[in-house]
Amino acid sequence: MPGKSGLKVPAKIALAYGSGGRLTHELVSGLFARAFANKALAELADSAEIKAGRERLAFTTDGYVVSPLFFPGGDIGKLAVCGTVNDLAVKGARPLALSASFIIEEGFDGELLKKAVLSMKAAAAEAGVDIVTGDTKVVDKGKADGLFISTAGVGLIPAGRSLSFSGLRTGDELIVSGPLGDHGVAVMNARNNLGLSGLRSDCAPLNAMLEKALSAGAVRAMRDLTRGGLATSLNEAAAASGLSIELDEEKVPVSPVTANACALLGLDPLYSANEGRAMLFCPPSSSAKVLKALRSHRYGRGAVIAGRVLGKGGDVSLRTAVGGSRLLRMLEGEQLPRIC
Amino acid sequence: MPGKSGLKVPAKIALAYGSGGRLTHELVSGLFARAFANKALAELADSAEIKAGRERLAFTTDGYVVSPLFFPGGDIGKLAVCGTVNDLAVKGARPLALSASFIIEEGFDGELLKKAVLSMKAAAAEAGVDIVTGDTKVVDKGKADGLFISTAGVGLIPAGRSLSFSGLRTGDELIVSGPLGDHGVAVMNARNNLGLSGLRSDCAPLNAMLEKALSAGAVRAMRDLTRGGLATSLNEAAAASGLSIELDEEKVPVSPVTANACALLGLDPLYSANEGRAMLFCPPSSSAKVLKALRSHRYGRGAVIAGRVLGKGGDVSLRTAVGGSRLLRMLEGEQLPRIC
């Protein structure tokens, strides 16, 4: 409830407030954005733009609490690096340096810590960025869940680049960089020992691929698709631009194994988490060139044009295969807790 | 044990690996610094120096797991802001922006979260820095301890400034900015309901005070005194410079209530944590001017010259009141877990 301070906070913080969906947005906009009121934060983008003397920087942070810590295609260490690199890259920034804050539960296995650290090292090497500063805390047994990692990242925004949902224009095309939902179902499968085979997280550093895309042609805005999936990110784009967005159901790329797992688990791949996928908005004059550039990179081979920006509104609609249309809302509640 | 990778990691992570003392250093130098091998990290300073185009930046992170969350003189929110601001300031950097990653236990009281957030807001306002980006994760009940916060910070290093322990010279004087150990005993008193009165954390943003000191005269290096206390920070300075440092027991400032609490609790104020104190090394020609500048600021009224840099060696010794001398080592084990 809003108090004298004008801040809105729920009586108790439920799991769903960390889902990345509607409740997370309520908490962020009602509490954090109001309390810390400043222009950079108010944009609620993946990373904030700040001035540093004569340079423009992107700055971002993410906490990682994924369970289990290791899963096919990734682990908490790889996630922590890729997530932060990707948050910088979608702002058009070139990653300069990462930080890592480790919160470890007393008694945690040293070899598992080493495994996570080596995974961070490999992901950072692939992204071409150093982890330059860190911190380690240990809390008593039973007061954490093995290992949590918070990373932050600083990137340099080259002169002239300005990517923001406020730059979207009617007629812009929506590119999705690859099959959706792999990360979410891979983690859920590993967590619950469901035994579905072939599921693998898409977790990857996207900076090199996105840099290629930016060099190929005009891009208005980009976002990496994480908690809440494509549907939630599209709603953020629609809300920030004030324009409506239409997604073509037939075009949405989903791998057969993930589609099958989603059907079995009652999940929607449009809301399932990704950690190596991005959406890009381009004017029609550049979308073919940008698409080609994405497809020339190994993380973008499955890229497609999957929708478009309509006129004023702020809604997201799904145009179905049979020609119907339904509203796609932000993720409600908690589809998959602790997915990253 | 070192494996093929050359990385050293204990079989199990004990609480003491998060103490900020010798075992933390073993973990950081044996695992993190080796795996992430890069020049900025290898310095193991409070913050890393990075190049961003034409500018030099300081970049730092810290995780906060303090228990209890609220205590006289501060709380987790104030700590999270001050700790990161201070890590930038001791590098001579002017804080540009902070990030905040919240890891919240399911069911955590919304009003307490608001209280911590308002405290962050107040500390950030005092330090003159914005919290521009953040992240929120919620973990299941019993998998965290209420609230953990990891902050990171970016600061701009003005041209010509270069503060590092490698710059220490024989004869440099050691300034301590105020009474030692207040934070550690205040938290311990609050955690264990010891009922000792008058104890209050020294938690404060030191950037304005340190900026004043830097304007007053030459400073070789500075460090904020946190986990592990002055003794541990002096050992870091001695190890990094290869020079020995001597501390005068009679000069070390300790408030009567903290001295009394330390005696009762069997603690040493030289190893007790601070969150609003710094040590500075200056050439003799500037120490009086720097001291005067510190004393003119409300957080530095108790500043004193408390020691000096000797010749080659790398040890820290305490010159006692009766003229004797004993080695002061880095904090061993865990004097006070979860102090920040």
Side-chain angles (χ1 to χ4, degrees):
Chain A
M1 289 295 97
K4 273 185 299 186
S5 56
L7 304 180
K8 271 177 69 180
V9 68
K12 298 280 174 199
I13 309 297
L15 266 181
Y17 284 93
S19 69
R22 189 178 59 80
L23 291 176
T24 305
H25 279 258
E26 272 186 28
L27 184 63
V28 170
S29 56
L31 178 62
F32 300 119
R34 282 190 203 185
F36 301 150
N38 59 77
K39 193 169 157 283
L41 181 60
E43 294 205 357
L44 300 178
D46 293 286
S47 55
E49 184 176 326
I50 56 173
K51 283 278 287 176
R54 295 158 289 177
E55 305 292 353
R56 284 192 306 149
L57 305 177
F59 183 33
T60 188
T61 192
D62 271 303
Y64 294 88
V65 299
V66 68
S67 170
L69 295 172
F70 300 87
F71 47 84
D75 57 56
I76 190 170
K78 184 176 181 184
L79 272 185
V81 168
C82 295
T84 292
V85 163
N86 294 346
D87 281 346
L88 297 174
V90 293
K91 264 296 223 187
R94 294 184 182 133
L96 289 175
L98 303 184
S99 69
S101 158
F102 297 88
I103 296 176
I104 307 172
E105 184 186 5
E106 182 185 10
F108 186 64
D109 187 304
E111 288 300 318
L112 292 182
L113 178 62
K114 187 163 96 177
K115 197 174 159 191
V117 163
L118 287 174
S119 178
M120 295 180 81
K121 173 190 177 171
E126 184 184 347
V129 64
D130 281 334
I131 298 164
V132 298
T133 188
D135 184 59
T136 310
K137 294 282 162 31
V138 183
V139 297
D140 0 0
K141 202 161 179 65
K143 299 296 186 185
D145 193 15
L147 175 64
F148 301 144
I149 303 175
S150 290
T151 42
V154 179
L156 187 68
I157 304 177
R161 269 194 196 163
S162 186
L163 296 162
S164 154
F165 290 144
S166 58
L168 297 195
R169 295 290 174 267
T170 297
D172 284 350
E173 294 192 288
L174 165 69
I175 301 177
V176 174
S177 73
L180 295 179
D182 295 352
H183 177 73
V185 293
V187 171
M188 195 154 185
N189 186 41
R191 186 187 304 167
N192 300 312
N193 296 307
L194 300 178
L196 301 172
S197 66
L199 297 175
R200 192 177 166 80
S201 170
D202 52 291
C203 181
L206 300 180
N207 55 321
M209 177 186 82
L210 295 176
E211 195 61 49
K212 262 190 145 172
L214 289 171
S215 304
V219 176
R220 308 270 203 210
M222 314 193 285
R223 180 156 283 199
D224 59 324
L225 307 171
T226 54
R227 288 181 292 175
L230 175 65
T232 299
S233 292
L234 285 174
N235 272 281
E236 290 165 349
S241 65
L243 300 174
S244 288
I245 301 171
E246 184 178 59
L247 181 67
D248 296 331
E249 190 174 38
E250 284 192 296
K251 301 282 179 58
V252 172
V254 183
S255 78
V257 286
T258 293
N260 183 43
C262 280
L264 284 169
L265 299 169
L267 296 174
D268 184 337
L270 291 176
Y271 290 93
S272 178
N274 312 271
E275 289 290 341
R277 303 292 177 229
M279 64 177 190
L280 299 84
F281 292 93
C282 306
S285 58
S286 72
S287 56
K289 286 175 281 188
V290 171
L291 186 66
K292 194 178 161 197
L294 289 169
R295 285 182 171 169
S296 73
H297 192 279
R298 65 181 177 123
Y299 295 138
R301 276 188 205 130
V304 294
I305 294 175
R308 67 207 56 81
V309 178
L310 306 176
K312 278 192 180 160
D315 286 329
V316 179
S317 57
L318 184 72
R319 195 160 70 167
T320 61
V322 294
S325 179
R326 65 178 172 88
L327 276 186
L328 264 190
R329 298 187 191 281
M330 212 171 251
L331 175 67
E332 284 288 328
E334 183 68 77
Q335 192 185 32
L336 289 172
R338 300 184 58 187
I339 205 70
C340 64
Chain B
M1 290 293 98
K4 273 185 300 185
S5 57
L7 303 180
K8 271 177 70 181
V9 67
K12 299 279 173 197
I13 308 298
L15 267 181
Y17 284 92
S19 68
R22 190 178 58 80
L23 291 176
T24 305
H25 279 258
E26 272 186 28
L27 184 63
V28 170
S29 55
L31 178 61
F32 301 119
R34 281 190 204 186
F36 302 150
N38 60 76
K39 194 171 156 284
L41 181 60
E43 294 204 358
L44 300 178
D46 293 286
S47 55
E49 183 175 327
I50 56 174
K51 283 277 288 176
R54 295 159 289 177
E55 305 293 352
R56 283 193 306 150
L57 305 177
F59 183 33
T60 188
T61 192
D62 272 302
Y64 294 88
V65 298
V66 68
S67 170
L69 295 171
F70 300 88
F71 47 83
D75 57 57
I76 189 170
K78 184 176 181 185
L79 273 185
V81 168
C82 295
T84 293
V85 162
N86 294 347
D87 281 346
L88 297 174
V90 293
K91 264 296 224 186
R94 294 183 182 134
L96 289 175
L98 303 184
S99 68
S101 159
F102 296 88
I103 297 176
I104 308 172
E105 184 186 6
E106 181 184 9
F108 187 64
D109 188 304
E111 288 300 317
L112 292 183
L113 178 62
K114 188 164 94 178
K115 197 173 159 192
V117 163
L118 287 173
S119 178
M120 294 180 82
K121 173 190 175 169
E126 183 183 348
V129 65
D130 280 334
I131 298 164
V132 299
T133 188
D135 183 59
T136 311
K137 294 282 160 40
V138 184
V139 297
D140 0 358
K141 201 160 181 66
K143 299 295 186 186
D145 193 13
L147 175 64
F148 300 145
I149 304 176
S150 289
T151 43
V154 178
L156 187 68
I157 305 177
R161 269 194 197 166
S162 187
L163 297 162
S164 154
F165 290 144
S166 58
L168 298 195
R169 295 289 173 269
T170 297
D172 284 350
E173 295 193 286
L174 164 69
I175 301 178
V176 173
S177 73
L180 295 179
D182 294 352
H183 177 73
V185 294
V187 171
M188 196 154 183
N189 186 40
R191 186 187 304 167
N192 300 313
N193 297 305
L194 300 178
L196 301 172
S197 65
L199 297 175
R200 193 177 167 79
S201 170
D202 52 291
C203 181
L206 299 181
N207 54 320
M209 177 186 81
L210 295 177
E211 196 61 48
K212 261 190 146 172
L214 289 171
S215 305
V219 175
R220 308 269 203 212
M222 314 193 284
R223 180 155 281 197
D224 58 324
L225 307 171
T226 55
R227 289 180 291 174
L230 175 65
T232 299
S233 293
L234 285 174
N235 272 280
E236 290 165 349
S241 65
L243 299 174
S244 289
I245 301 171
E246 184 179 60
L247 182 67
D248 296 331
E249 190 173 39
E250 283 191 296
K251 301 282 179 57
V252 172
V254 183
S255 78
V257 286
T258 292
N260 183 44
C262 279
L264 284 169
L265 299 169
L267 297 174
D268 184 337
L270 291 177
Y271 290 93
S272 178
N274 312 270
E275 289 290 341
R277 302 292 177 230
M279 64 178 191
L280 300 85
F281 292 93
C282 306
S285 57
S286 72
S287 57
K289 286 175 281 189
V290 171
L291 186 68
K292 194 178 161 197
L294 289 169
R295 285 182 171 169
S296 73
H297 192 279
R298 65 181 178 124
Y299 295 138
R301 276 189 204 129
V304 294
I305 294 175
R308 66 207 57 81
V309 178
L310 306 176
K312 279 194 178 160
D315 287 329
V316 179
S317 57
L318 184 72
R319 195 160 70 169
T320 62
V322 295
S325 178
R326 64 177 172 91
L327 276 186
L328 262 190
R329 298 188 191 279
M330 210 169 252
L331 176 65
E332 285 287 330
E334 184 68 78
Q335 193 186 29
L336 289 172
R338 300 184 58 187
I339 205 68
C340 63

